[in-house]
């Protein structure tokens, strides 16, 4: 596969790089960022933490704002951050920030016009890891994490593919999208009005019926403006209790939905994944 390196910056002894490549899943050019710790330059293969970002974000938000590279360098973990959706002049879009480009929701769309390009689930689960593992000095040990829409995506992907991930974590995830405005809008457009198709992309519904477990860590700010209407962490907690899912859910007084919150607790998430990736 041909990939184009579009930027490179040395960071904590390793390298942050951005790449562009033609995606067979999404039928457009896609960009992703990768942080390779110093160990990867010394002949060592390292495990990978995949990071899925939220609405309106790109591969740059986490890499520039979360403060993850120093500890990733110390612990020998690569970080891969894809874009949040397909993009391009011929890619379907919407005037709202919460649908279309920048808002892929990590699903495989089944409805026109979205179904030609919006197959972010396949991209994250299959195409991107295959590319990363073939082109970079990494192992096949994977963890996955994300924020908001990306937290929803990380939880769903880990629970639907428990053998592929050692651990999953999320900041402020959209925990029960079938019952919130963001999820209802996106799922109606991408998946259609038959709500039975929505259940496979709802973390709370998947967790409630889970029989195979991936260790899960979720952090949520109590000062988050989206907490009650959109995020609904209490539904995730109830689902974990029902199935015995190994979920740790931490609520934090005063913290909001921003990367100030994420940066405050990123170390705990990196260490959580490192412990599972090196078992």
């Amino acid at each position: 596969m041909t990939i184009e390196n579009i930027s490179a910056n040395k960071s904590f002894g390793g390298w942050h790089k951005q790449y562009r490549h033609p995606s067979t899943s999404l039928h457009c050019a896609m960009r992703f960022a990768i942080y390779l710790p110093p160990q990867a330059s010394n002949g060592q293969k390292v495990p990978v933490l995949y990071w899925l970002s939220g609405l309106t974000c790109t591969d740059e938000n986490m890499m520039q704002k979360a403060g993850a590279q120093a500890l990733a360098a110390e612990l020998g973990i690569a970080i891969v951050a894809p874009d949040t959706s397909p993009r391009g002049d011929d890619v379907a879009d919407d005037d709202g920030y919460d649908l279309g480009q920048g808002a892929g929701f990590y699903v495989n769309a089944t409805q026109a016009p979205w179904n030609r390009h919006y197959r972010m689930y396949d991209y994250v689960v299959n195409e991107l890891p295959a590319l990363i593992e073939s082109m970079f000095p990494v192992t096949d040990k994977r963890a996955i994490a994300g924020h908001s829409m990306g937290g929803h995506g990380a939880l769903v992907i880990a629970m639907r593919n428990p053998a592929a991930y050692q651990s999953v974590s999320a900041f402020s995830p959209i925990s029960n999208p079938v019952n919130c405005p963001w999820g209802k809008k996106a799922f109606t457009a991408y998946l259609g009005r038959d709500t039975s198709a929505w259940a496979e992309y709802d973390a709370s519904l998947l967790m409630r019926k889970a029989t195979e477990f991936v260790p899960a860590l979720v952090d949520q700010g109590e000062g988050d403006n989206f907490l009650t209407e959109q995020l609904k962490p209490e539904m995730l907690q109830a689902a974990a209790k029902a199935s015995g899912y190994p979920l740790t859910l931490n609520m934090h007084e005063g913290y909001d939905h921003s990367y100030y919150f994420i940066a405050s607790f990123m170390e705990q998430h990196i260490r959580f994944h490192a412990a599972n990736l090196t078992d």
Side-chain angles (χ1 to χ4, degrees):
M1 179 178 291
T2 301
I3 64 173
E4 176 191 1
N5 180 212
I6 54 179
S7 73
N9 304 92
K10 195 161 188 179
S11 177
F12 295 99
W15 287 91
H16 168 269
K17 297 183 178 183
Q18 286 178 307
Y19 289 89
R20 183 183 295 112
H21 74 102
S23 168
T24 56
S25 302
L26 306 176
H27 301 105
C28 67
M30 282 296 286
R31 192 176 76 185
F32 68 87
I34 183 168
Y35 177 70
L36 291 166
Q39 295 88 337
S41 298
N42 297 323
Q44 179 180 337
K45 287 190 173 184
V46 298
V48 182
L49 171 61
Y50 289 86
W51 175 269
L52 307 183
S53 288
L55 289 166
T56 75
C57 293
T58 69
D59 61 287
E60 294 183 340
N61 295 72
M62 187 271 194
M63 292 298 198
Q64 294 180 3
K65 297 178 180 179
Q69 289 90 339
L71 191 56
E74 176 187 329
L75 298 175
I77 297 172
I79 301 173
V80 172
D83 201 350
T84 50
S85 78
R87 297 183 193 267
D89 292 341
D90 64 338
V91 175
D93 202 4
D94 185 84
D95 290 338
Y97 74 95
D98 51 358
L99 185 69
Q101 296 187 35
F105 270 84
Y106 306 101
V107 304
N108 284 340
T110 58
Q111 305 299 301
W114 312 102
N115 54 344
R116 171 161 173 74
H117 295 286
Y118 285 78
R119 301 188 64 81
M120 286 297 294
Y121 179 88
D122 279 353
Y123 179 72
V124 172
V125 172
N126 299 311
E127 183 178 359
L128 183 61
L131 185 158
I132 297 298
E133 289 166 18
S134 67
M135 301 293 293
F136 299 97
V138 301
T139 70
D140 60 0
K141 278 199 166 185
R142 308 171 192 164
I144 191 165
H147 170 231
S148 193
M149 177 185 73
H152 137 77
L155 289 166
V156 165
I157 286 169
M159 283 187 283
R160 287 181 58 175
N161 302 275
Y165 299 93
Q166 307 299 119
S167 52
V168 58
S169 75
F171 290 90
S172 317
I174 304 172
S175 297
N176 189 207
V178 303
N179 287 316
C180 79
W182 279 340
K184 289 178 180 179
K185 178 179 179 178
F187 287 5
T188 299
Y190 295 146
L191 304 174
R193 296 192 177 277
D194 179 2
T195 57
S196 64
W198 299 5
E200 289 303 300
Y201 296 104
D202 186 293
S204 293
L205 299 181
L206 291 170
M207 188 170 284
R208 182 171 288 274
K209 68 179 186 179
T211 57
E212 295 181 78
F213 300 150
V214 180
L217 171 64
V218 172
D219 281 272
Q220 173 66 59
E222 292 180 350
D224 192 319
N225 290 337
F226 303 114
L227 178 60
T228 302
E229 184 180 28
Q230 302 282 14
L231 305 181
K232 303 184 183 296
E234 70 280 1
M235 301 301 291
L236 201 63
Q237 186 78 78
K241 184 176 181 180
S243 65
Y245 206 95
L247 168 70
T248 298
L249 172 61
N250 300 314
M251 302 296 295
H252 300 278
E253 181 182 359
Y255 285 93
D256 59 18
H257 201 69
S258 72
Y259 268 82
Y260 293 107
F261 168 50
I262 295 170
S264 298
F265 297 97
M266 180 56 72
E267 178 178 351
Q268 289 90 325
H269 283 240
I270 297 289
R271 291 194 183 281
F272 166 75
H273 290 299
N276 287 286
L277 287 166
T278 56
D279 277 353

